[in-house]
PDB file of all heavy atoms in Angstrom:
ATOM      1  N   TRP A  53      11.377  -8.827  -6.748  1.00 98.00           N
ATOM      2  CA  TRP A  53      11.804  -7.436  -6.536  1.00 98.00           C
ATOM      3  C   TRP A  53      13.203  -7.195  -7.120  1.00 98.00           C
ATOM      4  O   TRP A  53      13.717  -6.083  -7.040  1.00 98.00           O
ATOM      5  CB  TRP A  53      11.785  -7.084  -5.039  1.00 98.00           C
ATOM      6  CG  TRP A  53      12.536  -8.044  -4.183  1.00 98.00           C
ATOM      7  CD1 TRP A  53      13.866  -8.021  -3.907  1.00 98.00           C
ATOM      8  CD2 TRP A  53      11.994  -9.182  -3.505  1.00 98.00           C
ATOM      9  NE1 TRP A  53      14.203  -9.087  -3.098  1.00 98.00           N
ATOM     10  CE2 TRP A  53      13.074  -9.811  -2.822  1.00 98.00           C
ATOM     11  CE3 TRP A  53      10.729  -9.729  -3.387  1.00 98.00           C
ATOM     12  CZ2 TRP A  53      12.902 -10.951  -2.053  1.00 98.00           C
ATOM     13  CZ3 TRP A  53      10.566 -10.871  -2.623  1.00 98.00           C
ATOM     14  CH2 TRP A  53      11.629 -11.465  -1.967  1.00 98.00           C
ATOM     15  N   ASN A  55      15.845  -6.796 -10.192  1.00 97.00           N
ATOM     16  CA  ASN A  55      15.894  -6.451 -11.614  1.00 97.00           C
ATOM     17  C   ASN A  55      16.201  -7.678 -12.472  1.00 97.00           C
ATOM     18  O   ASN A  55      15.607  -7.865 -13.536  1.00 97.00           O
ATOM     19  CB  ASN A  55      17.000  -5.419 -11.868  1.00 97.00           C
ATOM     20  CG  ASN A  55      16.560  -4.021 -11.490  1.00 97.00           C
ATOM     21  OD1 ASN A  55      15.470  -3.835 -10.957  1.00 97.00           O
ATOM     22  ND2 ASN A  55      17.398  -3.037 -11.748  1.00 97.00           N
ATOM     23  N   LYS A  75       5.610 -10.895   2.628  1.00 96.00           N
ATOM     24  CA  LYS A  75       5.972  -9.696   3.404  1.00 96.00           C
ATOM     25  C   LYS A  75       5.512  -8.439   2.673  1.00 96.00           C
ATOM     26  O   LYS A  75       5.752  -8.291   1.463  1.00 96.00           O
ATOM     27  CB  LYS A  75       7.492  -9.643   3.589  1.00 96.00           C
ATOM     28  CG  LYS A  75       7.964 -10.381   4.838  1.00 96.00           C
ATOM     29  CD  LYS A  75       9.463 -10.490   4.874  1.00 96.00           C
ATOM     30  CE  LYS A  75      10.143  -9.163   5.152  1.00 96.00           C
ATOM     31  NZ  LYS A  75      11.612  -9.284   5.152  1.00 96.00           N
ATOM     32  N   ASP A  78       8.222  -6.572   0.807  1.00 97.00           N
ATOM     33  CA  ASP A  78       8.653  -7.235  -0.439  1.00 97.00           C
ATOM     34  C   ASP A  78       7.691  -6.875  -1.571  1.00 97.00           C
ATOM     35  O   ASP A  78       8.113  -6.661  -2.719  1.00 97.00           O
ATOM     36  CB  ASP A  78       8.688  -8.767  -0.256  1.00 97.00           C
ATOM     37  CG  ASP A  78       9.823  -9.209   0.665  1.00 97.00           C
ATOM     38  OD1 ASP A  78      10.692  -8.372   0.969  1.00 97.00           O
ATOM     39  OD2 ASP A  78       9.824 -10.380   1.077  1.00 97.00           O
ATOM     40  N   PHE A  80       5.972  -4.130  -1.734  1.00 97.00           N
ATOM     41  CA  PHE A  80       6.233  -2.724  -2.057  1.00 97.00           C
ATOM     42  C   PHE A  80       7.425  -2.615  -3.012  1.00 97.00           C
ATOM     43  O   PHE A  80       7.349  -1.947  -4.058  1.00 97.00           O
ATOM     44  CB  PHE A  80       6.508  -1.928  -0.774  1.00 97.00           C
ATOM     45  CG  PHE A  80       6.807  -0.486  -1.025  1.00 97.00           C
ATOM     46  CD1 PHE A  80       5.791   0.415  -1.295  1.00 97.00           C
ATOM     47  CD2 PHE A  80       8.111  -0.019  -1.024  1.00 97.00           C
ATOM     48  CE1 PHE A  80       6.061   1.749  -1.553  1.00 97.00           C
ATOM     49  CE2 PHE A  80       8.394   1.322  -1.277  1.00 97.00           C
ATOM     50  CZ  PHE A  80       7.368   2.199  -1.545  1.00 97.00           C
ATOM     51  N   ALA A  81       8.510  -3.324  -2.673  1.00 98.00           N
ATOM     52  CA  ALA A  81       9.724  -3.264  -3.494  1.00 98.00           C
ATOM     53  C   ALA A  81       9.460  -3.835  -4.889  1.00 98.00           C
ATOM     54  O   ALA A  81       9.911  -3.264  -5.900  1.00 98.00           O
ATOM     55  CB  ALA A  81      10.857  -4.018  -2.803  1.00 98.00           C
ATOM     56  N   MET A  84       7.373  -1.294  -6.872  1.00 97.00           N
ATOM     57  CA  MET A  84       8.146  -0.097  -7.226  1.00 97.00           C
ATOM     58  C   MET A  84       9.117  -0.410  -8.368  1.00 97.00           C
ATOM     59  O   MET A  84       9.272   0.380  -9.298  1.00 97.00           O
ATOM     60  CB  MET A  84       8.937   0.424  -6.018  1.00 97.00           C
ATOM     61  CG  MET A  84       8.087   1.080  -4.973  1.00 97.00           C
ATOM     62  SD  MET A  84       6.980   2.325  -5.632  1.00 97.00           S
ATOM     63  CE  MET A  84       7.842   3.782  -5.309  1.00 97.00           C
ATOM     64  N   THR A  85       9.764  -1.569  -8.298  1.00 97.00           N
ATOM     65  CA  THR A  85      10.708  -1.957  -9.351  1.00 97.00           C
ATOM     66  C   THR A  85       9.963  -2.149 -10.672  1.00 97.00           C
ATOM     67  O   THR A  85      10.411  -1.672 -11.727  1.00 97.00           O
ATOM     68  CB  THR A  85      11.452  -3.266  -8.953  1.00 97.00           C
ATOM     69  OG1 THR A  85      11.990  -3.093  -7.651  1.00 97.00           O
ATOM     70  CG2 THR A  85      12.564  -3.596  -9.916  1.00 97.00           C
ATOM     71  N   LYS A  88       8.758   1.586 -11.756  1.00 96.00           N
ATOM     72  CA  LYS A  88       9.777   2.608 -12.075  1.00 96.00           C
ATOM     73  C   LYS A  88      10.808   2.121 -13.100  1.00 96.00           C
ATOM     74  O   LYS A  88      11.240   2.896 -13.936  1.00 96.00           O
ATOM     75  CB  LYS A  88      10.515   3.034 -10.793  1.00 96.00           C
ATOM     76  CG  LYS A  88       9.602   3.603  -9.732  1.00 96.00           C
ATOM     77  CD  LYS A  88       9.914   5.033  -9.458  1.00 96.00           C
ATOM     78  CE  LYS A  88       8.939   5.591  -8.453  1.00 96.00           C
ATOM     79  NZ  LYS A  88       8.776   7.007  -8.482  1.00 96.00           N
ATOM     80  N   LEU A 107      -1.632   3.663   3.237  1.00 93.00           N
ATOM     81  CA  LEU A 107      -0.247   4.143   3.225  1.00 93.00           C
ATOM     82  C   LEU A 107       0.457   3.801   1.906  1.00 93.00           C
ATOM     83  O   LEU A 107       1.098   4.659   1.285  1.00 93.00           O
ATOM     84  CB  LEU A 107       0.492   3.505   4.405  1.00 93.00           C
ATOM     85  CG  LEU A 107       1.923   3.944   4.638  1.00 93.00           C
ATOM     86  CD1 LEU A 107       1.973   5.423   4.964  1.00 93.00           C
ATOM     87  CD2 LEU A 107       2.546   3.147   5.762  1.00 93.00           C
ATOM     88  N   TYR A 108       0.337   2.560   1.462  1.00 94.00           N
ATOM     89  CA  TYR A 108       1.011   2.134   0.237  1.00 94.00           C
ATOM     90  C   TYR A 108       0.466   2.887  -0.981  1.00 94.00           C
ATOM     91  O   TYR A 108       1.212   3.194  -1.904  1.00 94.00           O
ATOM     92  CB  TYR A 108       0.867   0.618   0.037  1.00 94.00           C
ATOM     93  CG  TYR A 108       1.888  -0.199   0.794  1.00 94.00           C
ATOM     94  CD1 TYR A 108       2.380   0.246   2.014  1.00 94.00           C
ATOM     95  CD2 TYR A 108       2.374  -1.402   0.298  1.00 94.00           C
ATOM     96  CE1 TYR A 108       3.312  -0.493   2.715  1.00 94.00           C
ATOM     97  CE2 TYR A 108       3.317  -2.148   0.997  1.00 94.00           C
ATOM     98  CZ  TYR A 108       3.777  -1.687   2.205  1.00 94.00           C
ATOM     99  OH  TYR A 108       4.712  -2.412   2.896  1.00 94.00           O
ATOM    100  N   ILE A 111       2.054   6.284  -1.093  1.00 92.00           N
ATOM    101  CA  ILE A 111       3.451   6.378  -1.525  1.00 92.00           C
ATOM    102  C   ILE A 111       3.716   5.657  -2.854  1.00 92.00           C
ATOM    103  O   ILE A 111       4.844   5.294  -3.155  1.00 92.00           O
ATOM    104  CB  ILE A 111       4.446   5.937  -0.424  1.00 92.00           C
ATOM    105  CG1 ILE A 111       4.160   4.524   0.070  1.00 92.00           C
ATOM    106  CG2 ILE A 111       4.412   6.894   0.730  1.00 92.00           C
ATOM    107  CD1 ILE A 111       5.133   4.061   1.147  1.00 92.00           C
TER     108      ILE A 111
ATOM    109  N   ASP B  80      17.787  -5.232   5.547  1.00 97.00           N
ATOM    110  CA  ASP B  80      16.786  -5.652   4.559  1.00 97.00           C
ATOM    111  C   ASP B  80      16.567  -4.516   3.547  1.00 97.00           C
ATOM    112  O   ASP B  80      15.983  -3.473   3.881  1.00 97.00           O
ATOM    113  CB  ASP B  80      15.491  -5.988   5.316  1.00 97.00           C
ATOM    114  CG  ASP B  80      14.360  -6.447   4.421  1.00 97.00           C
ATOM    115  OD1 ASP B  80      14.403  -6.184   3.204  1.00 97.00           O
ATOM    116  OD2 ASP B  80      13.411  -7.053   4.946  1.00 97.00           O
ATOM    117  N   ASN B  82      14.574  -4.223   1.012  1.00 98.00           N
ATOM    118  CA  ASN B  82      13.178  -3.896   0.708  1.00 98.00           C
ATOM    119  C   ASN B  82      12.560  -3.046   1.816  1.00 98.00           C
ATOM    120  O   ASN B  82      11.780  -2.133   1.553  1.00 98.00           O
ATOM    121  CB  ASN B  82      12.350  -5.172   0.508  1.00 98.00           C
ATOM    122  CG  ASN B  82      12.746  -5.898  -0.764  1.00 98.00           C
ATOM    123  OD1 ASN B  82      13.477  -5.354  -1.580  1.00 98.00           O
ATOM    124  ND2 ASN B  82      12.273  -7.114  -0.926  1.00 98.00           N
ATOM    125  N   LEU B  85      13.987   0.420   1.472  1.00 98.00           N
ATOM    126  CA  LEU B  85      13.336   1.127   0.349  1.00 98.00           C
ATOM    127  C   LEU B  85      11.993   1.703   0.794  1.00 98.00           C
ATOM    128  O   LEU B  85      11.692   2.877   0.553  1.00 98.00           O
ATOM    129  CB  LEU B  85      13.131   0.150  -0.811  1.00 98.00           C
ATOM    130  CG  LEU B  85      12.346   0.680  -2.006  1.00 98.00           C
ATOM    131  CD1 LEU B  85      13.145   1.742  -2.749  1.00 98.00           C
ATOM    132  CD2 LEU B  85      11.981  -0.458  -2.964  1.00 98.00           C
ATOM    133  N   PHE B  86      11.202   0.875   1.460  1.00 97.00           N
ATOM    134  CA  PHE B  86       9.893   1.324   1.941  1.00 97.00           C
ATOM    135  C   PHE B  86      10.051   2.488   2.929  1.00 97.00           C
ATOM    136  O   PHE B  86       9.349   3.498   2.834  1.00 97.00           O
ATOM    137  CB  PHE B  86       9.149   0.155   2.595  1.00 97.00           C
ATOM    138  CG  PHE B  86       7.978   0.582   3.420  1.00 97.00           C
ATOM    139  CD1 PHE B  86       6.842   1.112   2.821  1.00 97.00           C
ATOM    140  CD2 PHE B  86       8.012   0.490   4.808  1.00 97.00           C
ATOM    141  CE1 PHE B  86       5.756   1.537   3.584  1.00 97.00           C
ATOM    142  CE2 PHE B  86       6.940   0.911   5.572  1.00 97.00           C
ATOM    143  CZ  PHE B  86       5.810   1.437   4.959  1.00 97.00           C
ATOM    144  N   HIS B  89      10.817   5.819   1.343  1.00 97.00           N
ATOM    145  CA  HIS B  89       9.611   6.426   0.769  1.00 97.00           C
ATOM    146  C   HIS B  89       8.709   6.989   1.871  1.00 97.00           C
ATOM    147  O   HIS B  89       8.176   8.083   1.749  1.00 97.00           O
ATOM    148  CB  HIS B  89       8.834   5.393  -0.058  1.00 97.00           C
ATOM    149  CG  HIS B  89       9.392   5.218  -1.433  1.00 97.00           C
ATOM    150  ND1 HIS B  89       8.898   5.887  -2.527  1.00 97.00           N
ATOM    151  CD2 HIS B  89      10.424   4.480  -1.895  1.00 97.00           C
ATOM    152  CE1 HIS B  89       9.595   5.546  -3.602  1.00 97.00           C
ATOM    153  NE2 HIS B  89      10.530   4.698  -3.251  1.00 97.00           N
ATOM    154  N   LEU B  90       8.567   6.223   2.935  1.00 97.00           N
ATOM    155  CA  LEU B  90       7.688   6.641   4.034  1.00 97.00           C
ATOM    156  C   LEU B  90       8.197   7.935   4.679  1.00 97.00           C
ATOM    157  O   LEU B  90       7.440   8.902   4.836  1.00 97.00           O
ATOM    158  CB  LEU B  90       7.633   5.516   5.085  1.00 97.00           C
ATOM    159  CG  LEU B  90       6.798   5.787   6.323  1.00 97.00           C
ATOM    160  CD1 LEU B  90       5.315   5.772   5.985  1.00 97.00           C
ATOM    161  CD2 LEU B  90       7.082   4.741   7.401  1.00 97.00           C
ATOM    162  N   THR B  93       8.130  10.894   1.872  1.00 96.00           N
ATOM    163  CA  THR B  93       6.829  11.302   1.327  1.00 96.00           C
ATOM    164  C   THR B  93       5.820  11.661   2.407  1.00 96.00           C
ATOM    165  O   THR B  93       5.142  12.676   2.314  1.00 96.00           O
ATOM    166  CB  THR B  93       6.245  10.155   0.451  1.00 96.00           C
ATOM    167  OG1 THR B  93       7.246   9.734  -0.453  1.00 96.00           O
ATOM    168  CG2 THR B  93       5.027  10.610  -0.317  1.00 96.00           C
ATOM    169  N   ASP B 106      22.013  -3.778  -2.655  1.00 95.00           N
ATOM    170  CA  ASP B 106      21.868  -3.922  -4.108  1.00 95.00           C
ATOM    171  C   ASP B 106      21.786  -2.533  -4.752  1.00 95.00           C
ATOM    172  O   ASP B 106      20.790  -1.821  -4.571  1.00 95.00           O
ATOM    173  CB  ASP B 106      20.583  -4.717  -4.398  1.00 95.00           C
ATOM    174  CG  ASP B 106      20.374  -4.970  -5.888  1.00 95.00           C
ATOM    175  OD1 ASP B 106      21.181  -4.461  -6.691  1.00 95.00           O
ATOM    176  OD2 ASP B 106      19.405  -5.676  -6.233  1.00 95.00           O
ATOM    177  N   ASP B 108      20.938  -1.646  -7.529  1.00 95.00           N
ATOM    178  CA  ASP B 108      19.769  -1.486  -8.404  1.00 95.00           C
ATOM    179  C   ASP B 108      18.631  -0.726  -7.721  1.00 95.00           C
ATOM    180  O   ASP B 108      17.706  -0.251  -8.378  1.00 95.00           O
ATOM    181  CB  ASP B 108      19.227  -2.859  -8.845  1.00 95.00           C
ATOM    182  CG  ASP B 108      20.089  -3.492  -9.930  1.00 95.00           C
ATOM    183  OD1 ASP B 108      20.935  -2.768 -10.501  1.00 95.00           O
ATOM    184  OD2 ASP B 108      19.930  -4.691 -10.190  1.00 95.00           O
ATOM    185  N   PRO B 111      17.852   3.837  -8.271  1.00 96.00           N
ATOM    186  CA  PRO B 111      16.884   4.588  -9.085  1.00 96.00           C
ATOM    187  C   PRO B 111      15.479   4.649  -8.466  1.00 96.00           C
ATOM    188  O   PRO B 111      14.691   5.510  -8.812  1.00 96.00           O
ATOM    189  CB  PRO B 111      16.848   3.784 -10.403  1.00 96.00           C
ATOM    190  CG  PRO B 111      18.129   3.042 -10.441  1.00 96.00           C
ATOM    191  CD  PRO B 111      18.483   2.744  -9.028  1.00 96.00           C
ATOM    192  N   LEU B 112      15.188   3.739  -7.549  1.00 97.00           N
ATOM    193  CA  LEU B 112      13.839   3.717  -6.957  1.00 97.00           C
ATOM    194  C   LEU B 112      13.630   4.817  -5.910  1.00 97.00           C
ATOM    195  O   LEU B 112      12.510   5.044  -5.466  1.00 97.00           O
ATOM    196  CB  LEU B 112      13.554   2.350  -6.320  1.00 97.00           C
ATOM    197  CG  LEU B 112      13.671   1.142  -7.255  1.00 97.00           C
ATOM    198  CD1 LEU B 112      13.406  -0.145  -6.500  1.00 97.00           C
ATOM    199  CD2 LEU B 112      12.695   1.263  -8.415  1.00 97.00           C
ATOM    200  N   GLU B 115      14.026  10.072  -7.121  1.00 94.00           N
ATOM    201  CA  GLU B 115      13.144  11.248  -7.193  1.00 94.00           C
ATOM    202  C   GLU B 115      12.672  11.736  -5.826  1.00 94.00           C
ATOM    203  O   GLU B 115      11.968  12.741  -5.733  1.00 94.00           O
ATOM    204  CB  GLU B 115      11.912  10.916  -8.049  1.00 94.00           C
ATOM    205  CG  GLU B 115      12.261  10.748  -9.510  1.00 94.00           C
ATOM    206  CD  GLU B 115      11.190  10.013 -10.282  1.00 94.00           C
ATOM    207  OE1 GLU B 115      10.095   9.781  -9.743  1.00 94.00           O
ATOM    208  OE2 GLU B 115      11.463   9.641 -11.429  1.00 94.00           O
TER     209      GLU B 115
END
Side-chain angles (χ1 to χ4, degrees):
Chain A
W53 52 86
N55 281 5
K75 271 171 71 181
D78 290 348
F80 179 78
M84 287 309 261
T85 309
K88 301 244 177 203
L107 184 63
Y108 276 32
I111 56 180
Chain B
D80 180 341
N82 291 349
L85 174 69
F86 165 69
H89 279 265
L90 178 71
T93 310
D106 182 356
D108 284 347
L112 303 178
E115 291 162 9

